[in-house]
Amino acid sequence: MAQPAHEYPVESGVPDGMQFLHPTMLKNFGNWKYHDRPRPGVLHHVAHSGDEVWTVRVGTQRQLGPYEINLICDIIDNYADGYVRFSIRSNLEIMVDKEEKVAPLIQAFEDAGYPVGGTGNSITMISHTQGWLHCDIPGTDASGVVKAMMDELHKEFVSEQMPNRVHITTSCCQINCGGQGDIAINIQHTKPPKINHDLVANVCERPSVVARCPVAAIRPAIVNGKPSLEVDEKKCICCGACFPPCPPMQINDPDHSKLAVWVGGKHSNARSKPMFHKLVAAGIPNNPPRWPEATKIVLNILDKYKNDAKDWERVGDWVERIGWPRFFELTELPFTKYHIDNWRGARNSLNASTHIRF
Amino acid sequence: MAGQTPKNPEKHATYLPKEKTSSKPFHDTPMLDQLVDGPWPSFVTGLKRLASDNNMMVDLLGQLEHSYKTRIGYWKGGTVSVFGYGGGIIPRFTELMDDKGKPMFPESREFHTVRVQPPAGNHYSTDMLRKLSNSWNKYGSGLIAFHGQTGNIMFIGTTTDNTQLFFDEINGYGWDLGGAGPCVRTGMSCVGAARCEQSCTNEIKVHRSLVNNFLDDMHRPALPYKFKFKVSGCPNDCMNSIQRSDFAVIGTWRDDMQVDQDEVKKIVAEKGRKNIIDNVISRCPTNALSLNDDDTLEVDNRNCVRCMHCINVMTKALSPGKDHGVSILLGGKRTLKIGDTMGTVIVPFMKLETDEDYEKLVELAEEIIDFWAENALEHERVGETVDRIGLANFLEGIDIEVEPNMITHPRTSNYVRMDDWDQEAAKWKERKAAN
């Protein structure tokens, strides 16, 4: 019998988180009593046993090399207890079992140029995709947009001054890997794909590409004697869904791939049910390296939210209360025919009442 | 902070080594250089540090700068995997060629990502972080993202040959690849019972029980499309599971929430009645709260929908009940192809205490994945299958009985055939009688 070319992998799956738990967390697993937040960036949890842990939350650039990892680990080993976890938004959470360790730990991170914050009603780290650094279909960068915006939002990360927590997301294509957000900044293409007909037959599985189109705008065709695909450009919604399965259908365009801003997404079930974000602004230039036009719109929305929302209202809760006409009035963003949904189920988003604010 | 001189510039986010040991000279990066300054830690500084002793990262910076200039991405996919697996690697090859068809940035012409499953709850020791970093520095670019949007640790940037060598090394000390392609994907779970008093389940155990049962479906992609599990310990849903996962498990409780009336009185005394009425009582979505004249709290537990708001505000006074379990929602996803869908309740409550309870949970997931795999169209998420065939048909396929917690309201359209209404009504009565 032939020997396998290589040893088979150990299909160990998800590593057990218990092996990396801080001893106080392991001891009190499932037996916590309450928590409070002594200052921005710090959580304090108290167990039924009376044990306590303090968590210091630290913002990062998400993409870490050995220098950063060793720098961070040195701080944790010197000032904390050797344990760390990552939040869903790429923040570090360092747990310690004594209150007196908190201040030196914060100082050490701040001295090393890492911001402490992101808790409670702050603007926490922007959720992050790959962009030009590594993705095969991005219309823009991810790390750059996030860095440029977090530079502007740093003061809101290290304080807790918003009405409620603010989750911002960015996405480099309309697949929207960044996800739903209180504010989402996403690529929105505005022109149909440009097709390289010489390559389609060799690169793309044509029936799958036809099936992928949400509006049935793609059909097989012979172009210049070669099997290819063609797009009914009047039907095309420029979503880019055909591009991943068929890279010769280039959707990204340096001028016509724009940014759009969406608001009011919320994952939590607190108060209202979870909500999707809604379009508020589009046609924003994709302008590296600092995307100032998009940042300006986001800062404006945040400013109005901060001043007008009540405590505990997320952006979506706030807009529900004040109504969309007031939102557009306050933010001075133009309201256009493109804000009116025309996808399936769209009539559910229309006002079928006389509930009108004056 | 910008404009301040660090106390120890060699141990600082802005540090750049004075000596360059990589043999290839830096490319000019005037656009990326504008992302070096500012108070937030800069990924560009990080990339430059890597490039100071790593030619692959020198060229990676060159390609990235080119993308910034032209506003176009230049990576294409391909086929790279490790022995025994079909997925888990995201292959990337440069598309930037010179006039002679040679790569413009040859050192980073192969720049694959290895997706690795994080520990449930994203917990690490510093020893383990350093170990993973050392392995990746040996075989790859050194750059690691904690974490990708599906939840993977993303080891970004290596060659085809080194992909196998790196995986062999970390697989040897307990790490396994995540999912990529049409397969069960890497799962996520919140910090949960490890630190949070609001947790109503053992997130680590749920996460591992589910995902580790489907490793074959993760490592050898053969499903209609992706399938994601996410686990949140309470309805605050910190893992975004309703909107971002096909199978959301969310901790909840079915007895009365716990109220410490002395703590309620303390917080009312501290913050004032108006504050508590405005921020707690009147924010309850089902008007299930009332502040008594003696500053204690009255809770209409039958009408509490476990939204978590009052518990979030009054963390010392209020907490979830003690009869814990989970709700399961099916079919959340973003746009492609029918538009966004949130998960739908298919199990309003199930206990998760005994081994049998966990087996039941895993069996339910198996039933769903089997039915979906057999009946879905290519590239159809389970939420889209539900949308196409209707929830009632889907439930029949996975042998779950209908119940009113699954809907916001009953149908409003009378365009429906109801030939066997009597039998269906009899089934409901039978089930009621059995309970």
Side-chain angles (χ1 to χ4, degrees):
Chain A
M1 224 176 86
Q3 291 293 309
H6 197 278
E7 271 181 50
Y8 282 97
V10 182
E11 297 200 41
S12 46
V14 191
D16 193 351
M18 302 297 262
Q19 66 187 310
F20 302 121
L21 286 190
H22 188 289
T24 309
M25 286 161 67
L26 191 62
K27 183 183 158 208
N28 296 285
F29 191 89
N31 281 308
W32 295 94
K33 188 159 182 256
Y34 73 92
H35 80 278
D36 52 25
R37 302 196 310 275
R39 55 151 281 177
V42 179
L43 307 171
H44 168 232
H45 286 87
V46 179
H48 286 290
S49 67
D51 288 350
E52 298 169 88
V53 287
W54 284 262
T55 301
V56 174
R57 191 176 283 175
V58 179
T60 70
Q61 61 272 59
R62 191 182 84 144
Q63 334 274 5
L64 306 175
Y67 175 85
E68 294 89 335
I69 290 173
N70 283 313
L71 176 63
I72 288 164
C73 287
D74 286 347
I75 295 174
I76 298 169
D77 288 344
N78 288 336
Y79 295 93
D81 305 335
Y83 298 91
V84 56
R85 70 177 296 273
F86 288 85
S87 79
I88 190 173
R89 308 182 80 81
S90 301
N91 295 313
L92 299 167
E93 292 191 339
I94 299 102
M95 280 68 63
V96 294
D97 57 5
K98 295 207 169 52
E99 190 175 9
E100 59 262 31
K101 294 178 183 172
V102 173
L105 180 62
I106 291 172
Q107 191 64 48
F109 272 109
E110 287 178 348
D111 286 348
Y114 285 90
V116 172
T119 49
N121 44 328
S122 66
I123 299 179
T124 185
M125 171 61 164
I126 299 175
S127 82
H128 209 121
T129 55
Q130 292 281 55
W132 288 326
L133 180 72
H134 199 265
C135 185
D136 58 336
I137 56 170
T140 187
D141 196 29
S143 312
V145 184
V146 171
K147 160 70 177 155
M149 286 200 185
M150 286 314 293
D151 278 343
E152 300 288 335
L153 299 172
H154 177 268
K155 60 180 181 301
E156 298 291 354
F157 180 88
V158 300
S159 59
E160 293 182 348
Q161 294 177 352
M162 301 306 281
N164 199 343
R165 68 198 61 220
V166 180
H167 290 170
I168 303 180
T169 74
T170 63
S171 293
C172 319
C173 77
Q174 289 187 221
I175 292 173
N176 192 202
C177 293
Q180 296 289 325
D182 290 289
I183 301 181
I185 305 103
N186 300 344
I187 276 281
Q188 187 79 23
H189 303 295
T190 61
K191 289 278 185 280
K194 286 191 198 117
I195 307 176
N196 184 339
H197 292 290
D198 292 336
L199 299 179
V200 171
N202 284 334
V203 177
C204 317
E205 197 185 319
R206 292 190 302 154
S208 311
V209 183
V210 170
R212 193 71 55 95
C213 179
V215 293
I218 304 174
R219 54 190 173 234
I222 303 289
V223 182
N224 305 327
K226 287 178 188 159
S228 187
L229 293 163
E230 63 183 15
V231 173
D232 180 340
E233 298 203 348
K234 280 199 183 128
K235 273 168 109 178
C236 178
I237 51 171
C238 313
C239 70
C242 51
F243 181 48
C246 188
M249 299 180 77
Q250 175 62 263
I251 188 71
N252 291 314
D253 182 290
D255 298 314
H256 298 298
S257 294
K258 304 282 192 184
L259 296 174
V261 173
W262 307 68
V263 310
K266 163 175 156 306
H267 296 102
S268 166
N269 292 271
R271 301 168 303 281
S272 47
K273 290 182 177 180
M275 294 188 268
F276 288 128
H277 53 226
K278 295 101 184 163
L279 176 72
V280 295
I284 305 159
N286 178 20
N287 194 5
R290 281 197 163 265
W291 293 268
E293 299 85 355
T295 305
K296 193 176 160 203
I297 291 173
V298 170
L299 291 176
N300 175 39
I301 295 169
L302 286 168
D303 179 57
K304 303 301 181 297
Y305 164 68
K306 189 175 181 176
N307 288 321
D308 199 60
K310 295 182 176 175
D311 286 352
W312 294 97
E313 277 179 340
R314 294 280 293 267
V315 173
D317 297 328
W318 166 58
V319 183
E320 292 277 299
R321 178 172 61 81
I322 66 167
W324 287 100
R326 190 80 73 237
F327 173 87
F328 285 99
E329 184 188 310
L330 284 173
T331 56
E332 295 178 52
L333 292 167
F335 181 78
T336 71
K337 66 178 181 180
Y338 297 110
H339 290 97
I340 301 175
D341 201 351
N342 57 0
W343 194 248
R344 51 198 292 176
R347 287 207 70 196
N348 295 328
S349 69
L350 307 183
N351 187 2
S353 75
T354 56
H355 290 199
I356 293 168
R357 291 171 177 82
F358 296 101
Chain B
M1 293 280 295
Q4 289 177 356
T5 313
K7 279 187 197 162
N8 184 354
E10 305 229 324
K11 298 275 179 199
H12 195 269
T14 56
Y15 169 71
L16 271 179
K18 284 182 199 79
E19 257 181 69
K20 179 173 179 310
T21 53
S22 48
S23 56
K24 196 159 183 168
F26 284 131
H27 303 280
D28 281 338
T29 52
M31 292 191 88
L32 289 173
D33 291 349
Q34 293 176 55
L35 289 166
V36 166
D37 290 334
W40 198 258
S42 169
F43 73 103
V44 173
T45 307
L47 297 180
K48 287 187 165 190
R49 270 194 296 262
L50 287 165
S52 66
D53 67 357
N54 178 337
N55 282 341
M56 178 188 255
M57 295 307 284
V58 171
D59 271 4
L60 188 273
L61 274 164
Q63 170 157 336
L64 189 57
E65 176 74 15
H66 197 78
S67 281
Y68 268 65
K69 259 190 275 184
T70 58
R71 281 177 263 163
I72 290 284
Y74 296 100
W75 298 111
K76 64 177 176 188
T79 316
V80 177
S81 60
V82 297
F83 185 79
Y85 285 177
I89 311 295
I90 310 296
R92 289 291 176 256
F93 299 91
T94 185
E95 284 186 312
L96 270 177
M97 301 296 167
D98 63 18
D99 302 344
K100 293 172 196 139
K102 294 261 166 27
M104 282 167 63
F105 300 100
E107 297 290 335
S108 59
R109 67 188 179 278
E110 293 178 358
F111 199 69
H112 315 318
T113 280
V114 183
R115 283 186 179 172
V116 173
Q117 295 187 70
N122 288 344
H123 302 283
Y124 298 87
S125 63
T126 49
D127 289 347
M128 186 48 80
L129 277 185
R130 290 185 210 263
K131 197 167 171 181
L132 288 167
S133 174
N134 287 343
S135 294
W136 186 238
N137 209 28
K138 185 156 49 154
Y139 296 111
S141 71
L143 190 66
I144 311 176
F146 292 98
H147 298 84
Q149 287 297 322
T150 299
N152 293 287
I153 318 172
M154 311 226 281
F155 294 88
I156 308 171
T158 193
T159 60
T160 305
D161 291 343
N162 279 353
T163 300
Q164 181 75 54
L165 297 173
F166 171 70
F167 174 63
D168 288 344
E169 181 162 314
I170 62 164
N171 190 233
Y173 58 87
W175 299 81
D176 198 3
L177 293 190
C183 63
V184 168
R185 295 293 187 88
T186 298
M188 288 173 97
S189 48
C190 64
V191 64
R195 197 192 60 200
C196 182
E197 76 277 9
Q198 299 176 344
S199 161
C200 294
T201 190
N202 182 338
E203 301 78 7
I204 290 179
K205 191 168 175 190
V206 176
H207 178 172
R208 297 187 76 230
S209 301
L210 286 168
V211 173
N212 286 351
N213 185 65
F214 293 100
L215 293 177
D216 189 34
D217 283 316
M218 173 179 286
H219 294 139
R220 295 160 197 92
L223 293 175
Y225 199 16
K226 62 184 90 168
F227 192 95
K228 298 184 181 182
F229 291 104
K230 293 195 198 296
V231 188
S232 286
C234 82
N236 279 321
D237 195 8
C238 290
M239 291 298 99
N240 310 340
S241 66
I242 294 179
Q243 289 165 345
R244 301 202 73 166
S245 75
D246 299 275
F247 191 104
V249 183
I250 301 179
T252 188
W253 69 96
R254 62 181 171 184
D255 56 343
D256 293 355
M257 82 158 124
Q258 302 179 70
V259 183
D260 182 334
Q261 297 290 7
D262 290 338
E263 289 294 340
V264 174
K265 283 185 194 169
K266 265 193 221 164
I267 190 170
V268 174
E270 185 194 328
K271 305 249 179 191
R273 290 180 66 83
K274 179 178 163 53
N275 182 297
I276 297 304
I277 290 167
D278 286 352
N279 288 301
V280 182
I281 309 297
S282 64
R283 291 286 166 75
C284 174
T286 52
N287 299 319
L289 298 177
S290 174
L291 191 62
N292 294 322
D293 288 342
D294 65 355
D295 288 349
T296 56
L297 188 72
E298 189 177 299
V299 184
D300 173 6
N301 276 287
R302 291 278 288 170
N303 280 310
C304 165
V305 289
R306 282 76 178 142
C307 89
M308 298 300 294
H309 174 75
C310 60
I311 298 177
N312 291 342
V313 181
M314 299 165 74
T315 53
K316 254 186 177 172
L318 306 179
S319 35
K322 290 178 173 171
D323 186 8
H324 290 169
V326 295
S327 301
I328 297 171
L329 289 86
L330 186 74
K333 53 169 279 298
R334 184 54 166 136
T335 329
L336 226 186
K337 152 179 169 175
I338 64 165
D340 316 64
T341 64
M342 300 217 195
T344 304
V345 171
I346 56 160
V347 177
F349 186 87
M350 79 183 276
K351 288 296 283 181
L352 274 185
E353 275 171 3
T354 62
D355 288 349
E356 290 76 49
D357 294 339
Y358 278 88
E359 274 165 34
K360 254 173 67 186
L361 175 71
V362 171
E363 278 164 21
L364 172 67
E366 282 176 351
E367 192 87 37
I368 287 168
I369 289 181
D370 285 351
F371 179 78
W372 168 64
E374 250 173 58
N375 293 283
L377 305 174
E378 190 199 327
H379 215 259
E380 187 177 66
R381 294 281 286 270
V382 70
E384 292 171 301
T385 313
V386 170
D387 204 80
R388 182 168 55 82
I389 70 173
L391 181 65
N393 284 329
F394 196 97
L395 293 173
E396 222 166 90
I398 58 171
D399 210 15
I400 286 189
E401 303 291 353
V402 298
E403 78 123 292
N405 276 310
M406 296 171 177
I407 59 168
T408 305
H409 58 73
R411 76 163 59 240
T412 56
S413 165
N414 61 8
Y415 285 0
V416 56
R417 275 186 67 163
M418 298 190 264
D419 306 24
D420 57 353
W421 173 273
D422 289 343
Q423 286 102 298
E424 291 299 318
K427 276 193 206 166
W428 169 259
K429 284 181 188 154
E430 240 173 72
R431 287 205 301 278
K432 285 277 115 182
N435 280 335

